[in-house]
Amino acid sequence: MVLGLLMKGPMSGYDMQQLLQLSKTDAWAGVLPGSIYHALKKMDKEGLVTVDSVEQTGHRTKAIYRITEEGEEQFYQLLQQSLALPSVIFPTTFYTAVSFIDALPKDRIIAAIESQRTALRKQYDEMKAGEEEKSQFVNLTEPAKIIFRNMYDQFEIQLSMLDQLEAAIRSQPD
C-alpha cells in the first residue's frame, strides 16, 4: 500500500495516513496508522524509498518520501504476486464457534449473533461512506468500483448467513 501510494507521487507518512483514513481504505487494507511510519523507515533502509524533502510546520518537521527505482520494481513484483494469490478468506473463528454452538443457551447465541450483525452493519455503512468520500476526491476507476461491490457482496453474504443461523436457532425447541 505504501509503495503504491508513493507511485502516485511523493508524500509524507501523515499524508498517507490521512488519505487511508479519509477513504476508509485502512478498514480493508490491513494498514494500521502507526505502521506507515515503521514501513517508511524500513523501506528507506532497504533503498525502496528515500526522503525527497523535509517540510517545517511550526515546531514539527515532516519528511516527504518518494519511491526509488528499486521501490518501483519491488512494487511491480508485489502487485503481480498479490493479484495471483487466492483471496477468499473464511471466518474460521466464527465457523469454529458454530461447530460448538449447542454448548450455549439459546438467548446467549442470539445475543452474540445480534452483536455481530450490528458490528457488520456498522462496518458496511462505514465502507459505503468511505466510497462516497473517496469519490468526492478522486474519480473511481472501474476496478475500484468492482472492489467496492465485492466488499458489499461479502458483507451481505455474511449478514444473510447470520439471519439464517438466527432463524435456525430460534426454531429449535428450548
Side-chain angles (χ1 to χ4, degrees), residues 23-69:
S23 64
K24 303 293 188 215
T25 303
D26 59 330
W28 59 262
V31 179
L32 298 173
S35 68
I36 293 171
Y37 299 101
H38 175 73
L40 284 167
K41 288 178 183 178
K42 182 176 182 253
M43 286 189 265
D44 188 26
K45 286 180 184 173
E46 295 171 352
L48 303 176
V49 303
T50 189
V51 175
D52 190 54
S53 62
V54 177
E55 294 179 1
Q56 185 77 30
T57 310
H59 296 293
R60 295 184 180 181
T61 58
K62 181 166 74 169
I64 308 297
Y65 290 86
R66 70 172 172 77
I67 194 166
T68 62
E69 285 184 29

Side-chain angles (χ1 to χ4, degrees), residues 5-157:
L5 290 172
L6 290 175
M7 288 291 289
K8 302 206 178 274
M11 63 176 64
S12 70
Y14 178 78
D15 294 334
M16 289 180 199
Q17 183 181 32
Q18 293 302 302
L19 180 63
L20 293 175
Q21 288 176 339
L22 180 67
S23 64
K24 303 293 188 215
T25 303
D26 59 330
W28 59 262
V31 179
L32 298 173
S35 68
I36 293 171
Y37 299 101
H38 175 73
L40 284 167
K41 288 178 183 178
K42 182 176 182 253
M43 286 189 265
D44 188 26
K45 286 180 184 173
E46 295 171 352
L48 303 176
V49 303
T50 189
V51 175
D52 190 54
S53 62
V54 177
E55 294 179 1
Q56 185 77 30
T57 310
H59 296 293
R60 295 184 180 181
T61 58
K62 181 166 74 169
I64 308 297
Y65 290 86
R66 70 172 172 77
I67 194 166
T68 62
E69 285 184 29
E70 294 85 5
E72 287 183 19
E73 183 56 39
Q74 179 72 22
F75 170 74
Y76 293 129
Q77 288 175 10
L78 290 170
L79 182 59
Q80 185 174 354
Q81 289 170 6
S82 296
L83 288 169
L85 288 174
S87 61
V88 174
I89 299 171
F90 295 108
T92 55
T93 303
F94 181 77
Y95 289 174
T96 301
V98 171
S99 299
F100 299 100
I101 203 164
D102 294 336
L104 282 177
K106 186 189 282 191
D107 62 326
R108 290 177 66 186
I109 296 168
I110 291 170
I113 291 171
E114 288 172 351
S115 176
Q116 183 180 160
R117 184 183 298 114
T118 299
L120 283 174
R121 284 194 175 129
K122 181 179 180 207
Q123 289 176 334
Y124 183 84
D125 292 342
E126 288 172 352
M127 191 67 61
K128 286 204 170 224
E131 178 186 17
E132 289 173 21
E133 189 77 28
K134 189 172 189 172
S135 67
Q136 291 177 11
F137 296 101
V138 295
N139 189 13
L140 292 176
T141 63
E142 191 57 30
K145 291 175 186 176
I146 290 168
I147 289 170
F148 277 112
R149 283 194 301 267
N150 180 263
M151 287 189 287
Y152 302 147
D153 289 348
Q154 297 303 313
F155 277 109
E156 290 165 10
I157 287 169

